[in-house]
Amino acid sequence: MKKYWLLSLLFVLVIGGWAQVAEDGKSCPGIPSVTDHEGNVYHTVQIGEQCWTRENMRATTSPTTGTCIVNNDTKVFSFSGKIARWYNNDSLAYAKYGLLYNWNAAMDTFNVKFGELSMEKSGMTAVQLPKDVRRRGICPKGWHVPNDADWAELELTVGICTQEEVFDDSEAWRGRNSVVLAGGSDWNSSEDPGAPGNYSPDRNKTGFTALPGGYFRESNFGNIQYDAVFWTATQKDNDEAYYRYLYFNRHSLGRTEYGKYYGFSVRCVKD
């Protein structure tokens, strides 16, 4: 009898006390970190039912071909093929922000194995993927570049309404408290209490830890410490894909589309 009682107690301790439980803002249960194909390690964060990487991707090669995608020659027009750049081409100064990828590199497209073609400036040979495709892209195996639906789920979980309430020059803004996704002390300051640049008690409440890593467009870099911009896997058409972004002085989360030749940050979500 004593033997069975001890076994029962052990079972209760393991299941009720020692088992890892999903908790928002903490590491994903049993997955404190994930490693990409190059050996780079990323911490994880549990947000609702989703497990996200807490840092931006920084892999410098294609997972499928192994070829280097970092190209510091800003004369190379970034519509063509896969291109990634460190902000200002300076990996030492801007390493914490991760790499900026054009959409081709983020999605790891244009691989002959998949029958894909490099994209011309005209967009006539662009790859078309299903609207809510779940594609690994530059992410670790078992993870994928979040599509529009993945981002919408995150927004609802953290209380950022997906209703597009404010429109500004065709850009759609959602919700009222984007500061819950913003991490670090790198943002330009803002007086808006719900904006990333306002150091309110809600800052990074979710643990998502978005940093204002800016972007690149052809030969230009811009908006370091102003914007955190993230690609989605969802395309609008041949030329453009959707993205999400936080702006230092906006309490809402932006959702719009830009040309695939822009270079933005990439986060990953577990399959």
Side-chain angles (χ1 to χ4, degrees):
M1 188 70 172
K2 184 177 180 181
K3 177 181 178 181
Y4 292 114
W5 180 83
L6 289 172
L7 287 173
S8 298
L9 178 61
L10 179 62
F11 179 80
V12 170
L13 287 172
V14 170
I15 299 301
W18 294 342
Q20 288 183 291
V21 178
E23 185 177 353
D24 285 0
K26 303 295 184 181
S27 297
C28 303
I31 317 172
S33 63
V34 61
T35 304
D36 68 19
H37 63 286
E38 294 180 353
N40 298 305
V41 178
Y42 307 87
H43 297 92
T44 67
V45 60
Q46 185 76 32
I47 303 177
E49 298 297 318
Q50 296 174 307
C51 180
W52 291 77
T53 53
R54 196 183 292 261
E55 297 102 6
N56 298 338
M57 290 299 296
R58 53 185 183 273
T60 61
T61 59
S62 162
T64 52
T65 66
T67 55
C68 181
I69 57 177
V70 175
N71 190 324
N72 292 338
D73 183 359
T74 54
K75 294 180 181 178
V76 175
F77 190 63
S78 51
F79 251 115
S80 180
K82 308 172 189 176
I83 293 178
R85 293 180 178 136
W86 300 100
Y87 193 90
N88 278 348
N89 296 326
D90 189 339
S91 60
L92 294 178
Y94 299 102
K96 66 178 176 179
Y97 298 113
L99 271 165
L100 300 170
Y101 300 87
N102 70 357
W103 193 83
N104 310 347
M107 297 301 293
D108 198 31
T109 59
F110 314 128
N111 183 338
V112 174
K113 179 180 177 181
F114 293 101
E116 297 167 336
L117 301 173
S118 181
M119 181 176 172
E120 302 290 343
K121 183 176 179 180
S122 66
M124 295 304 292
T125 59
V127 174
Q128 280 289 338
L129 300 174
K131 180 179 178 181
D132 289 325
V133 66
R134 177 173 285 188
R135 186 177 176 108
R136 174 185 173 182
I138 197 68
C139 296
K141 187 176 181 180
W143 296 65
H144 62 275
V145 179
N147 57 38
D148 202 58
D150 291 321
W151 276 99
E153 181 178 342
L154 173 68
E155 291 162 1
L156 289 172
T157 299
V158 304
I160 297 175
C161 179
T162 58
Q163 178 68 36
E164 292 169 349
E165 300 175 344
V166 182
F167 293 88
D168 180 9
D169 296 331
S170 80
E171 296 181 349
W173 296 87
R174 297 174 161 191
R176 298 289 177 184
N177 200 31
S178 61
V179 70
V180 300
L181 297 173
S185 57
D186 297 351
W187 297 87
N188 278 356
S189 62
S190 169
E191 295 182 2
D192 186 331
N198 185 285
Y199 297 101
S200 73
D202 285 338
R203 164 169 294 282
N204 206 25
K205 188 176 180 180
T206 62
F208 189 78
T209 320
L211 295 178
Y215 64 86
F216 76 73
R217 179 184 184 276
E218 300 176 42
S219 60
N220 301 312
F221 295 89
N223 279 21
I224 194 77
Q225 298 185 337
Y226 285 84
D227 283 348
V229 195
F230 304 97
W231 276 126
T232 81
T234 303
Q235 298 171 112
K236 179 185 178 184
D237 52 34
N238 280 3
D239 296 317
E240 297 182 328
Y242 289 98
Y243 67 93
R244 293 299 198 282
Y245 69 109
L246 287 80
Y247 187 61
F248 84 104
N249 202 27
R250 280 272 195 170
H251 56 238
S252 301
L253 181 70
R255 174 191 180 271
T256 190
E257 69 281 344
Y258 265 176
K260 296 175 182 178
Y261 57 92
Y262 273 81
F264 297 149
S265 301
V266 175
R267 287 294 181 93
C268 301
V269 64
K270 196 173 186 314
D271 293 349

